[in-house]
Amino acid sequence: MLKLRLPGLSRGVCANFRIPNPCCYSNSVSSSIDVKPKVPLYLRPPSFSASLSELSMWHKWAKNLASSVGSTFVNLDNGPDSTLLHRELNWLLQDLIELQHHSEILPRLESSNNENLDVRVALRAPLEEIYCVWRQRIEERRPFQYVVGCEHWRDLVLSVQEGVLIPRPETEMIIELVEDVALNNSPELAQGFWADLGTGSGAIAIAAARALRSHVNGDAGCRVIATDLSPVAVAVATSNVQRYGLQDVVEVRKGSWFEPLKDVKGELSGVLSNPPYIPSDDISGLQAEVGRHEPTLALDGGASGINDLLQLIDGVASMLKPGGFFAFETNGGKQCKFLVDYIQNEKPGRFRDINIVSDFAGIQRFVMGFRL
Amino acid sequence: MEQRLVAIEHRSAFLENFINQPEASPTEYSKANKELRKLRDSMDLISELRTKQKKIDGLRSLMAKCPDDKDMLEMATEDLHKALEEEKRPQNLLLKSLLPGDDADQRDCILEEASLFAMDVFKMYERYSHKKGWRFEVVDIAESDLKGYKEASAAISGSGVYGKLKFESGIHRVQRVPVTDKSGRIHSSAVSVAILPQADEVDVRLRNEDLRIDTYRSGGSGGQHANTTNSAVHGDGSERIQTYNFPQGRVTDHRVGITYHAIDDVMQRENSDVFVDALLLQQEMDAIATFSSAQ
């Protein structure tokens, strides 16, 4: 882990923050053998404190910083506007202080009430760190989810950090495809081995495991194997699996696509994936939160973005058991159609019920089907 | 199942009889007619089944009457097998229609949930309008079976209405456990909102987006291209999607799993010029208030 002095910090920025505090660090090491996943802010013990006046000062500063953004990010690269940043600031505050105090404290911070300003408030991180990370948010466009160390996705709260892709809302639909298409069509699939390839934070694997187990036929030995090439992802996914008590159901393996799954070749009931699908040339033009901070390994799908998807299609033809299900997320209509054509021309007679499913924005987002 | 079939037959016969009475009032008549129509499909299948059953009985008694006639027996046995096979079709279809089938249930469930959400959103606009001192006039509502709204429109007039509401146009998505789903699964449904200016009045039109009406045009690439918070996917300008996740979503108290932040958001909206980023339904707020105070 590296401790970095951030270029944005300067002395005398505010009364409480004269010395740039090397408290912030980013985990850019991806080759360390022992990656210790970070604890999300909301789960850290409230062992720090600040006075109400100090907290108030920080809050005013943070709000102003957020207000100063206006719609510059929106115009630049479809980033967040001030309204969204104010909302994020509230969530940061929520994660920072104990829940029972939040409803009392927030109004005090908002008002100009000068009473009891030296009341101590318990915090889950030192205030200096919170100055630091909010600056990172605004000046460096560091994703909010990395700042607080978690992401809310479906009915889960997943720990995320640099090196792991932040689960996207579109991807939530993959689980619905599992329930509404796969299990509806073939309920016996709920009992088998499923795979989530390129699991990142473990989002799909964990949600799928819960869906399979709660299915009528489930809970009778269903297993999910989550794979990822990145050691950070393996560590984070494992910690999320443990936090949801699914260590007996979800197994995390390190490796590339189907390589770590040789022992279940031809036996998989289902294969799910949100693989990198952005064309390489588009990476530099991405929204800063994504392009500058999220792992390129999880985003870059090669020249036309389709490299990994093709590999997955090639693999499922033999990795799935007959009647097994697959669903992959793609970059959109063009990729979906390409994949469907590829399946029909290059893999005739191998699959049935190939379908394209749109997301809520109306973009054709998923390709799914069953192995014959 | 036979009991159920007989019950349906009796009910159907009763309704037929009732309709033919001259004393039936128009309301009673239409009610009975409606129910009869619903039973029609089942009745057709039952008739088919009865015919097959009669055939089978006939064949069996024939076989019993002449056990010595080998040729006759052979033919009858063959016919019997055929008839038993044919009996399966109406039997299975009836069975399916009588059981709580997942397919039909799920589909209806999802449509109902989206309609209920549409109604909640519509009422939210109504409450907001009242708060702002605007006039909210319901123009039209198309109700679903469970009293949700498949479509609804209202005319809102007052000072600064369009300016405040114009950003509400777009798709509003919700993820929640619907009241209509017995299994407690989360469903995603969406509602499209169109805000149209009309002189100094504003039309608010809602439609059940589960039918994927393609008036919506996406503003951005979405997916891996975008980093979003609270599952809100932003397109450009007025074509935004706002997502409300409840009762989960931005969970701060995990024992309870309730969107605590939304209360603060809504409370702050009292003075804010920008209408809702996080609409919270009144019933949800009440539920949260109850939960929070119970903790």
mmCIF file of all heavy atoms in Angstrom, chain A residues 42 83 88 90-91 94 102-103 145 152 168 170 172 184 274-275 277 287 331 360 365, chain B residues 103 173 175 185 221 223-230 249 251-252 254 260-261 264 268 277:
data_model
loop_
_atom_site.group_PDB
_atom_site.id
_atom_site.type_symbol
_atom_site.label_atom_id
_atom_site.label_comp_id
_atom_site.label_asym_id
_atom_site.label_seq_id
_atom_site.Cartn_x
_atom_site.Cartn_y
_atom_site.Cartn_z
ATOM 1 N N TYR A 42 -18.606 2.735 6.738
ATOM 2 C CA TYR A 42 -19.745 2.560 7.636
ATOM 3 C C TYR A 42 -19.561 1.404 8.615
ATOM 4 O O TYR A 42 -20.295 1.290 9.598
ATOM 5 C CB TYR A 42 -21.052 2.405 6.849
ATOM 6 C CG TYR A 42 -21.335 1.012 6.315
ATOM 7 C CD1 TYR A 42 -22.136 0.118 7.021
ATOM 8 C CD2 TYR A 42 -20.810 0.592 5.098
ATOM 9 C CE1 TYR A 42 -22.408 -1.154 6.529
ATOM 10 C CE2 TYR A 42 -21.066 -0.679 4.597
ATOM 11 C CZ TYR A 42 -21.865 -1.546 5.321
ATOM 12 O OH TYR A 42 -22.120 -2.807 4.823
ATOM 13 N N THR A 83 -25.852 19.047 -7.354
ATOM 14 C CA THR A 83 -26.945 18.421 -6.608
ATOM 15 C C THR A 83 -26.575 17.001 -6.200
ATOM 16 O O THR A 83 -26.773 16.594 -5.050
ATOM 17 C CB THR A 83 -28.217 18.377 -7.475
ATOM 18 O OG1 THR A 83 -28.416 19.660 -8.037
ATOM 19 C CG2 THR A 83 -29.414 17.967 -6.644
ATOM 20 N N GLU A 88 -24.269 13.058 -2.232
ATOM 21 C CA GLU A 88 -23.170 12.172 -1.837
ATOM 22 C C GLU A 88 -22.553 12.647 -0.525
ATOM 23 O O GLU A 88 -22.170 11.833 0.323
ATOM 24 C CB GLU A 88 -22.098 12.152 -2.928
ATOM 25 C CG GLU A 88 -22.517 11.373 -4.170
ATOM 26 C CD GLU A 88 -21.426 11.381 -5.240
ATOM 27 O OE1 GLU A 88 -20.295 11.827 -4.931
ATOM 28 O OE2 GLU A 88 -21.705 10.956 -6.370
ATOM 29 N N ASN A 90 -24.020 14.079 1.921
ATOM 30 C CA ASN A 90 -24.881 13.610 3.006
ATOM 31 C C ASN A 90 -24.629 12.152 3.333
ATOM 32 O O ASN A 90 -24.622 11.746 4.487
ATOM 33 C CB ASN A 90 -26.350 13.763 2.614
ATOM 34 C CG ASN A 90 -26.881 15.115 3.009
ATOM 35 O OD1 ASN A 90 -26.233 15.841 3.754
ATOM 36 N ND2 ASN A 90 -28.056 15.459 2.522
ATOM 37 N N TRP A 91 -24.444 11.350 2.296
ATOM 38 C CA TRP A 91 -24.187 9.928 2.532
ATOM 39 C C TRP A 91 -22.828 9.741 3.202
ATOM 40 O O TRP A 91 -22.669 8.862 4.057
ATOM 41 C CB TRP A 91 -24.217 9.163 1.202
ATOM 42 C CG TRP A 91 -25.564 9.117 0.580
ATOM 43 C CD1 TRP A 91 -26.765 9.300 1.197
ATOM 44 C CD2 TRP A 91 -25.856 8.876 -0.795
ATOM 45 N NE1 TRP A 91 -27.781 9.179 0.284
ATOM 46 C CE2 TRP A 91 -27.269 8.920 -0.941
ATOM 47 C CE3 TRP A 91 -25.077 8.619 -1.920
ATOM 48 C CZ2 TRP A 91 -27.891 8.719 -2.167
ATOM 49 C CZ3 TRP A 91 -25.711 8.416 -3.138
ATOM 50 C CH2 TRP A 91 -27.104 8.468 -3.261
ATOM 51 N N GLN A 94 -23.325 10.427 6.707
ATOM 52 C CA GLN A 94 -24.038 9.298 7.305
ATOM 53 C C GLN A 94 -23.117 8.158 7.661
ATOM 54 O O GLN A 94 -23.234 7.543 8.711
ATOM 55 C CB GLN A 94 -25.033 8.749 6.298
ATOM 56 C CG GLN A 94 -26.456 9.128 6.555
ATOM 57 C CD GLN A 94 -27.352 8.519 5.504
ATOM 58 O OE1 GLN A 94 -27.110 7.405 5.044
ATOM 59 N NE2 GLN A 94 -28.376 9.253 5.134
ATOM 60 N N HIS A 102 -27.160 10.691 13.604
ATOM 61 C CA HIS A 102 -27.212 11.419 12.338
ATOM 62 C C HIS A 102 -28.392 12.379 12.264
ATOM 63 O O HIS A 102 -28.257 13.521 11.829
ATOM 64 C CB HIS A 102 -27.268 10.439 11.166
ATOM 65 C CG HIS A 102 -27.280 11.119 9.848
ATOM 66 N ND1 HIS A 102 -28.415 11.239 9.077
ATOM 67 C CD2 HIS A 102 -26.309 11.767 9.176
ATOM 68 C CE1 HIS A 102 -28.128 11.897 7.977
ATOM 69 N NE2 HIS A 102 -26.850 12.239 8.009
ATOM 70 N N SER A 103 -29.560 11.902 12.690
ATOM 71 C CA SER A 103 -30.745 12.742 12.551
ATOM 72 C C SER A 103 -30.675 13.958 13.466
ATOM 73 O O SER A 103 -31.311 14.968 13.215
ATOM 74 C CB SER A 103 -32.007 11.934 12.840
ATOM 75 O OG SER A 103 -31.905 11.390 14.145
ATOM 76 N N GLN A 145 -17.949 5.808 -4.465
ATOM 77 C CA GLN A 145 -17.993 4.468 -3.871
ATOM 78 C C GLN A 145 -16.624 4.064 -3.298
ATOM 79 O O GLN A 145 -16.555 3.337 -2.310
ATOM 80 C CB GLN A 145 -18.438 3.427 -4.906
ATOM 81 C CG GLN A 145 -19.853 3.641 -5.417
ATOM 82 C CD GLN A 145 -19.902 4.514 -6.652
ATOM 83 O OE1 GLN A 145 -18.962 5.277 -6.917
ATOM 84 N NE2 GLN A 145 -20.980 4.421 -7.413
ATOM 85 N N HIS A 152 -23.979 0.334 -3.054
ATOM 86 C CA HIS A 152 -25.284 -0.286 -2.860
ATOM 87 C C HIS A 152 -25.764 -0.815 -4.196
ATOM 88 O O HIS A 152 -25.866 -0.068 -5.165
ATOM 89 C CB HIS A 152 -26.274 0.743 -2.305
ATOM 90 C CG HIS A 152 -25.936 1.160 -0.917
ATOM 91 N ND1 HIS A 152 -26.730 0.886 0.162
ATOM 92 C CD2 HIS A 152 -24.854 1.803 -0.417
ATOM 93 C CE1 HIS A 152 -26.172 1.348 1.249
ATOM 94 N NE2 HIS A 152 -25.040 1.906 0.936
ATOM 95 N N ARG A 168 -22.477 -2.002 -11.654
ATOM 96 C CA ARG A 168 -23.351 -1.062 -12.338
ATOM 97 C C ARG A 168 -24.803 -1.434 -12.127
ATOM 98 O O ARG A 168 -25.127 -2.620 -12.002
ATOM 99 C CB ARG A 168 -23.055 -1.072 -13.842
ATOM 100 C CG ARG A 168 -21.614 -0.757 -14.222
ATOM 101 C CD ARG A 168 -21.178 0.583 -13.700
ATOM 102 N NE ARG A 168 -20.049 1.163 -14.401
ATOM 103 C CZ ARG A 168 -18.868 1.383 -13.868
ATOM 104 N NH1 ARG A 168 -18.638 1.026 -12.631
ATOM 105 N NH2 ARG A 168 -17.912 1.950 -14.577
ATOM 106 N N GLU A 170 -27.162 -1.471 -14.302
ATOM 107 C CA GLU A 170 -27.650 -2.316 -15.400
ATOM 108 C C GLU A 170 -27.439 -3.787 -15.098
ATOM 109 O O GLU A 170 -28.249 -4.639 -15.438
ATOM 110 C CB GLU A 170 -26.919 -1.968 -16.701
ATOM 111 C CG GLU A 170 -27.321 -0.642 -17.325
ATOM 112 C CD GLU A 170 -26.526 0.527 -16.766
ATOM 113 O OE1 GLU A 170 -25.824 0.353 -15.748
ATOM 114 O OE2 GLU A 170 -26.620 1.628 -17.339
ATOM 115 N N GLU A 172 -27.681 -5.375 -12.531
ATOM 116 C CA GLU A 172 -28.666 -5.977 -11.630
ATOM 117 C C GLU A 172 -29.621 -6.886 -12.392
ATOM 118 O O GLU A 172 -30.154 -7.857 -11.841
ATOM 119 C CB GLU A 172 -29.479 -4.887 -10.923
ATOM 120 C CG GLU A 172 -28.682 -4.092 -9.920
ATOM 121 C CD GLU A 172 -29.416 -2.832 -9.446
ATOM 122 O OE1 GLU A 172 -30.510 -2.552 -9.945
ATOM 123 O OE2 GLU A 172 -28.874 -2.138 -8.567
ATOM 124 N N ASN A 184 -37.072 -20.249 -14.421
ATOM 125 C CA ASN A 184 -38.456 -20.413 -14.857
ATOM 126 C C ASN A 184 -38.565 -21.510 -15.904
ATOM 127 O O ASN A 184 -39.453 -22.348 -15.879
ATOM 128 C CB ASN A 184 -38.947 -19.089 -15.442
ATOM 129 C CG ASN A 184 -40.407 -18.874 -15.180
ATOM 130 O OD1 ASN A 184 -40.996 -19.538 -14.345
ATOM 131 N ND2 ASN A 184 -40.985 -17.951 -15.907
ATOM 132 N N ASN A 274 -20.156 -10.087 -16.542
ATOM 133 C CA ASN A 274 -20.121 -8.714 -17.025
ATOM 134 C C ASN A 274 -18.659 -8.453 -17.396
ATOM 135 O O ASN A 274 -17.908 -7.881 -16.607
ATOM 136 C CB ASN A 274 -20.602 -7.753 -15.932
ATOM 137 C CG ASN A 274 -20.489 -6.300 -16.374
ATOM 138 O OD1 ASN A 274 -20.469 -6.001 -17.565
ATOM 139 N ND2 ASN A 274 -20.401 -5.393 -15.414
ATOM 140 N N PRO A 275 -18.229 -8.915 -18.573
ATOM 141 C CA PRO A 275 -16.807 -8.855 -18.925
ATOM 142 C C PRO A 275 -16.461 -7.470 -19.431
ATOM 143 O O PRO A 275 -17.361 -6.690 -19.757
ATOM 144 C CB PRO A 275 -16.714 -9.876 -20.059
ATOM 145 C CG PRO A 275 -18.036 -9.761 -20.750
ATOM 146 C CD PRO A 275 -19.048 -9.460 -19.674
ATOM 147 N N TYR A 277 -15.987 -4.688 -21.885
ATOM 148 C CA TYR A 277 -16.544 -4.629 -23.242
ATOM 149 C C TYR A 277 -16.394 -3.272 -23.919
ATOM 150 O O TYR A 277 -16.943 -3.027 -24.986
ATOM 151 C CB TYR A 277 -18.013 -5.060 -23.261
ATOM 152 C CG TYR A 277 -18.955 -4.338 -22.305
ATOM 153 C CD1 TYR A 277 -19.227 -2.974 -22.410
ATOM 154 C CD2 TYR A 277 -19.606 -5.058 -21.306
ATOM 155 C CE1 TYR A 277 -20.116 -2.353 -21.547
ATOM 156 C CE2 TYR A 277 -20.498 -4.448 -20.443
ATOM 157 C CZ TYR A 277 -20.754 -3.100 -20.556
ATOM 158 O OH TYR A 277 -21.639 -2.497 -19.694
ATOM 159 N N GLN A 287 -15.990 9.085 -18.672
ATOM 160 C CA GLN A 287 -16.197 9.884 -17.468
ATOM 161 C C GLN A 287 -15.014 9.656 -16.522
ATOM 162 O O GLN A 287 -14.580 8.523 -16.320
ATOM 163 C CB GLN A 287 -17.497 9.393 -16.816
ATOM 164 C CG GLN A 287 -17.912 10.115 -15.571
ATOM 165 C CD GLN A 287 -19.079 9.405 -14.857
ATOM 166 O OE1 GLN A 287 -19.714 8.526 -15.417
ATOM 167 N NE2 GLN A 287 -19.313 9.794 -13.622
ATOM 168 N N ASN A 331 -21.738 -4.075 -24.528
ATOM 169 C CA ASN A 331 -21.647 -2.640 -24.707
ATOM 170 C C ASN A 331 -22.908 -2.055 -25.339
ATOM 171 O O ASN A 331 -23.067 -0.844 -25.359
ATOM 172 C CB ASN A 331 -20.440 -2.329 -25.605
ATOM 173 C CG ASN A 331 -19.968 -0.903 -25.453
ATOM 174 O OD1 ASN A 331 -20.129 -0.295 -24.409
ATOM 175 N ND2 ASN A 331 -19.407 -0.347 -26.518
ATOM 176 N N PHE A 360 -33.071 -0.704 -18.830
ATOM 177 C CA PHE A 360 -34.148 0.260 -18.643
ATOM 178 C C PHE A 360 -33.996 1.511 -19.492
ATOM 179 O O PHE A 360 -34.930 2.270 -19.654
ATOM 180 C CB PHE A 360 -34.282 0.653 -17.169
ATOM 181 C CG PHE A 360 -35.153 -0.294 -16.409
ATOM 182 C CD1 PHE A 360 -34.606 -1.180 -15.483
ATOM 183 C CD2 PHE A 360 -36.516 -0.344 -16.635
ATOM 184 C CE1 PHE A 360 -35.404 -2.060 -14.797
ATOM 185 C CE2 PHE A 360 -37.321 -1.241 -15.950
ATOM 186 C CZ PHE A 360 -36.764 -2.095 -15.025
ATOM 187 N N ARG A 365 -28.701 -4.754 -24.008
ATOM 188 C CA ARG A 365 -27.597 -4.847 -23.087
ATOM 189 C C ARG A 365 -27.105 -6.270 -22.833
ATOM 190 O O ARG A 365 -25.942 -6.481 -22.526
ATOM 191 C CB ARG A 365 -28.043 -4.237 -21.751
ATOM 192 C CG ARG A 365 -26.996 -4.133 -20.669
ATOM 193 C CD ARG A 365 -25.816 -3.299 -20.997
ATOM 194 N NE ARG A 365 -26.099 -1.889 -21.117
ATOM 195 C CZ ARG A 365 -25.207 -0.990 -21.563
ATOM 196 N NH1 ARG A 365 -24.017 -1.384 -21.926
ATOM 197 N NH2 ARG A 365 -25.539 0.267 -21.658
ATOM 198 N N ASP B 103 -45.777 -18.534 -14.036
ATOM 199 C CA ASP B 103 -45.726 -17.672 -15.227
ATOM 200 C C ASP B 103 -46.736 -16.548 -15.140
ATOM 201 O O ASP B 103 -46.391 -15.391 -15.122
ATOM 202 C CB ASP B 103 -46.019 -18.483 -16.490
ATOM 203 C CG ASP B 103 -44.908 -19.454 -16.801
ATOM 204 O OD1 ASP B 103 -43.764 -19.112 -16.539
ATOM 205 O OD2 ASP B 103 -45.214 -20.537 -17.259
ATOM 206 N N ARG B 173 -37.309 4.612 -12.027
ATOM 207 C CA ARG B 173 -37.221 3.178 -11.784
ATOM 208 C C ARG B 173 -37.269 2.915 -10.290
ATOM 209 O O ARG B 173 -36.733 3.672 -9.502
ATOM 210 C CB ARG B 173 -35.910 2.645 -12.357
ATOM 211 C CG ARG B 173 -35.663 1.151 -12.159
ATOM 212 C CD ARG B 173 -34.533 0.677 -13.063
ATOM 213 N NE ARG B 173 -33.236 0.886 -12.477
ATOM 214 C CZ ARG B 173 -32.582 -0.056 -11.817
ATOM 215 N NH1 ARG B 173 -33.109 -1.215 -11.626
ATOM 216 N NH2 ARG B 173 -31.379 0.199 -11.333
ATOM 217 N N GLN B 175 -36.860 -0.262 -7.323
ATOM 218 C CA GLN B 175 -36.564 -1.651 -6.986
ATOM 219 C C GLN B 175 -37.122 -1.875 -5.606
ATOM 220 O O GLN B 175 -36.698 -1.223 -4.675
ATOM 221 C CB GLN B 175 -35.058 -1.858 -6.898
ATOM 222 C CG GLN B 175 -34.422 -2.444 -8.102
ATOM 223 C CD GLN B 175 -33.077 -3.027 -7.760
ATOM 224 O OE1 GLN B 175 -32.443 -2.614 -6.793
ATOM 225 N NE2 GLN B 175 -32.633 -3.977 -8.508
ATOM 226 N N ARG B 185 -39.551 -11.423 -3.312
ATOM 227 C CA ARG B 185 -38.426 -11.108 -4.198
ATOM 228 C C ARG B 185 -38.450 -9.649 -4.608
ATOM 229 O O ARG B 185 -39.509 -9.069 -4.726
ATOM 230 C CB ARG B 185 -38.553 -11.948 -5.446
ATOM 231 C CG ARG B 185 -37.846 -13.280 -5.379
ATOM 232 C CD ARG B 185 -37.976 -13.960 -6.693
ATOM 233 N NE ARG B 185 -37.765 -12.989 -7.770
ATOM 234 C CZ ARG B 185 -38.242 -13.137 -8.989
ATOM 235 N NH1 ARG B 185 -38.939 -14.199 -9.286
ATOM 236 N NH2 ARG B 185 -38.036 -12.228 -9.907
ATOM 237 N N SER B 221 -24.251 6.143 -22.954
ATOM 238 C CA SER B 221 -23.960 4.742 -23.207
ATOM 239 C C SER B 221 -24.306 3.852 -22.034
ATOM 240 O O SER B 221 -24.619 2.694 -22.205
ATOM 241 C CB SER B 221 -22.480 4.566 -23.546
ATOM 242 O OG SER B 221 -22.073 5.535 -24.465
ATOM 243 N N GLY B 223 -23.993 1.484 -18.658
ATOM 244 C CA GLY B 223 -23.182 0.291 -18.407
ATOM 245 C C GLY B 223 -21.828 0.650 -17.841
ATOM 246 O O GLY B 223 -21.703 1.521 -16.977
ATOM 247 N N GLN B 224 -20.766 0.009 -18.349
ATOM 248 C CA GLN B 224 -19.430 0.222 -17.807
ATOM 249 C C GLN B 224 -18.926 1.643 -18.067
ATOM 250 O O GLN B 224 -17.971 2.085 -17.444
ATOM 251 C CB GLN B 224 -18.453 -0.790 -18.400
ATOM 252 C CG GLN B 224 -18.686 -2.194 -17.877
ATOM 253 C CD GLN B 224 -17.881 -3.245 -18.608
ATOM 254 O OE1 GLN B 224 -17.055 -2.925 -19.454
ATOM 255 N NE2 GLN B 224 -18.132 -4.500 -18.301
ATOM 256 N N HIS B 225 -19.562 2.357 -18.993
ATOM 257 C CA HIS B 225 -19.097 3.704 -19.324
ATOM 258 C C HIS B 225 -19.314 4.694 -18.195
ATOM 259 O O HIS B 225 -18.635 5.703 -18.124
ATOM 260 C CB HIS B 225 -19.835 4.229 -20.567
ATOM 261 C CG HIS B 225 -19.448 3.529 -21.829
ATOM 262 N ND1 HIS B 225 -18.659 4.114 -22.795
ATOM 263 C CD2 HIS B 225 -19.736 2.289 -22.271
ATOM 264 C CE1 HIS B 225 -18.491 3.248 -23.792
ATOM 265 N NE2 HIS B 225 -19.137 2.142 -23.494
ATOM 266 N N ALA B 226 -20.304 4.420 -17.358
ATOM 267 C CA ALA B 226 -20.719 5.436 -16.392
ATOM 268 C C ALA B 226 -20.510 5.002 -14.958
ATOM 269 O O ALA B 226 -20.731 3.855 -14.593
ATOM 270 C CB ALA B 226 -22.193 5.767 -16.608
ATOM 271 N N ASN B 227 -20.069 5.973 -14.132
ATOM 272 C CA ASN B 227 -20.069 5.758 -12.695
ATOM 273 C C ASN B 227 -21.244 6.520 -12.127
ATOM 274 O O ASN B 227 -21.394 7.711 -12.381
ATOM 275 C CB ASN B 227 -18.769 6.268 -12.085
ATOM 276 C CG ASN B 227 -18.824 6.239 -10.555
ATOM 277 O OD1 ASN B 227 -19.327 7.183 -9.931
ATOM 278 N ND2 ASN B 227 -18.341 5.180 -9.959
ATOM 279 N N THR B 228 -22.091 5.848 -11.407
ATOM 280 C CA THR B 228 -23.280 6.504 -10.872
ATOM 281 C C THR B 228 -23.384 6.214 -9.389
ATOM 282 O O THR B 228 -22.832 5.236 -8.895
ATOM 283 C CB THR B 228 -24.551 5.959 -11.550
ATOM 284 O OG1 THR B 228 -24.671 4.579 -11.204
ATOM 285 C CG2 THR B 228 -24.453 6.066 -13.046
ATOM 286 N N THR B 229 -24.091 7.074 -8.681
ATOM 287 C CA THR B 229 -24.317 6.814 -7.260
ATOM 288 C C THR B 229 -25.793 6.547 -7.020
ATOM 289 O O THR B 229 -26.650 7.124 -7.639
ATOM 290 C CB THR B 229 -23.857 7.994 -6.386
ATOM 291 O OG1 THR B 229 -24.265 9.202 -7.010
ATOM 292 C CG2 THR B 229 -22.364 7.989 -6.258
ATOM 293 N N ASN B 230 -26.068 5.677 -6.093
ATOM 294 C CA ASN B 230 -27.441 5.290 -5.785
ATOM 295 C C ASN B 230 -28.192 4.799 -7.016
ATOM 296 O O ASN B 230 -29.364 5.046 -7.182
ATOM 297 C CB ASN B 230 -28.226 6.456 -5.161
ATOM 298 C CG ASN B 230 -29.464 5.939 -4.432
ATOM 299 O OD1 ASN B 230 -29.440 4.879 -3.851
ATOM 300 N ND2 ASN B 230 -30.544 6.681 -4.501
ATOM 301 N N GLY B 249 -31.538 -0.131 -0.877
ATOM 302 C CA GLY B 249 -31.007 1.080 -1.474
ATOM 303 C C GLY B 249 -29.900 1.621 -0.616
ATOM 304 O O GLY B 249 -29.047 0.871 -0.176
ATOM 305 N N VAL B 251 -28.636 1.932 2.182
ATOM 306 C CA VAL B 251 -28.921 1.432 3.527
ATOM 307 C C VAL B 251 -27.916 1.957 4.516
ATOM 308 O O VAL B 251 -26.719 1.869 4.308
ATOM 309 C CB VAL B 251 -28.843 -0.105 3.528
ATOM 310 C CG1 VAL B 251 -29.007 -0.643 4.917
ATOM 311 C CG2 VAL B 251 -29.897 -0.669 2.596
ATOM 312 N N THR B 252 -28.360 2.510 5.573
ATOM 313 C CA THR B 252 -27.423 2.900 6.613
ATOM 314 C C THR B 252 -27.604 2.042 7.860
ATOM 315 O O THR B 252 -26.687 1.857 8.620
ATOM 316 C CB THR B 252 -27.602 4.379 7.005
ATOM 317 O OG1 THR B 252 -28.990 4.606 7.192
ATOM 318 C CG2 THR B 252 -27.073 5.267 5.924
ATOM 319 N N HIS B 254 -28.296 -1.575 8.701
ATOM 320 C CA HIS B 254 -28.439 -2.828 7.997
ATOM 321 C C HIS B 254 -29.311 -3.829 8.729
ATOM 322 O O HIS B 254 -29.786 -4.776 8.140
ATOM 323 C CB HIS B 254 -27.052 -3.414 7.716
ATOM 324 C CG HIS B 254 -26.217 -2.434 6.974
ATOM 325 N ND1 HIS B 254 -26.361 -2.229 5.638
ATOM 326 C CD2 HIS B 254 -25.311 -1.546 7.404
ATOM 327 C CE1 HIS B 254 -25.525 -1.266 5.278
ATOM 328 N NE2 HIS B 254 -24.896 -0.831 6.321
ATOM 329 N N TYR B 260 -32.609 5.251 4.933
ATOM 330 C CA TYR B 260 -32.689 6.320 5.909
ATOM 331 C C TYR B 260 -32.382 7.673 5.292
ATOM 332 O O TYR B 260 -32.975 8.670 5.622
ATOM 333 C CB TYR B 260 -31.697 6.020 7.025
ATOM 334 C CG TYR B 260 -31.892 6.862 8.256
ATOM 335 C CD1 TYR B 260 -32.982 6.654 9.084
ATOM 336 C CD2 TYR B 260 -31.005 7.867 8.582
ATOM 337 C CE1 TYR B 260 -33.161 7.420 10.223
ATOM 338 C CE2 TYR B 260 -31.182 8.619 9.724
ATOM 339 C CZ TYR B 260 -32.261 8.391 10.539
ATOM 340 O OH TYR B 260 -32.433 9.145 11.663
ATOM 341 N N HIS B 261 -31.454 7.684 4.350
ATOM 342 C CA HIS B 261 -31.014 8.975 3.802
ATOM 343 C C HIS B 261 -32.154 9.705 3.134
ATOM 344 O O HIS B 261 -32.203 10.906 3.110
ATOM 345 C CB HIS B 261 -29.889 8.780 2.798
ATOM 346 C CG HIS B 261 -30.379 8.309 1.467
ATOM 347 N ND1 HIS B 261 -30.735 9.159 0.453
ATOM 348 C CD2 HIS B 261 -30.607 7.069 0.987
ATOM 349 C CE1 HIS B 261 -31.147 8.465 -0.581
ATOM 350 N NE2 HIS B 261 -31.075 7.201 -0.299
ATOM 351 N N ASP B 264 -33.990 12.421 5.032
ATOM 352 C CA ASP B 264 -33.306 13.708 5.113
ATOM 353 C C ASP B 264 -33.448 14.478 3.819
ATOM 354 O O ASP B 264 -33.715 15.660 3.812
ATOM 355 C CB ASP B 264 -31.814 13.493 5.409
ATOM 356 C CG ASP B 264 -31.628 12.833 6.747
ATOM 357 O OD1 ASP B 264 -32.289 13.259 7.708
ATOM 358 O OD2 ASP B 264 -30.857 11.874 6.835
ATOM 359 N N GLN B 268 -35.231 18.014 3.435
ATOM 360 C CA GLN B 268 -34.517 19.180 2.943
ATOM 361 C C GLN B 268 -35.205 19.790 1.739
ATOM 362 O O GLN B 268 -35.065 20.960 1.467
ATOM 363 C CB GLN B 268 -33.097 18.783 2.560
ATOM 364 C CG GLN B 268 -32.210 18.574 3.756
ATOM 365 C CD GLN B 268 -30.867 18.049 3.353
ATOM 366 O OE1 GLN B 268 -30.109 18.754 2.712
ATOM 367 N NE2 GLN B 268 -30.581 16.826 3.695
ATOM 368 N N ASP B 277 -35.007 14.605 -6.082
ATOM 369 C CA ASP B 277 -34.012 13.669 -6.591
ATOM 370 C C ASP B 277 -34.304 12.301 -6.005
ATOM 371 O O ASP B 277 -34.025 11.290 -6.585
ATOM 372 C CB ASP B 277 -32.608 14.078 -6.128
ATOM 373 C CG ASP B 277 -31.892 14.841 -7.204
ATOM 374 O OD1 ASP B 277 -32.296 14.733 -8.368
ATOM 375 O OD2 ASP B 277 -30.938 15.548 -6.877
#
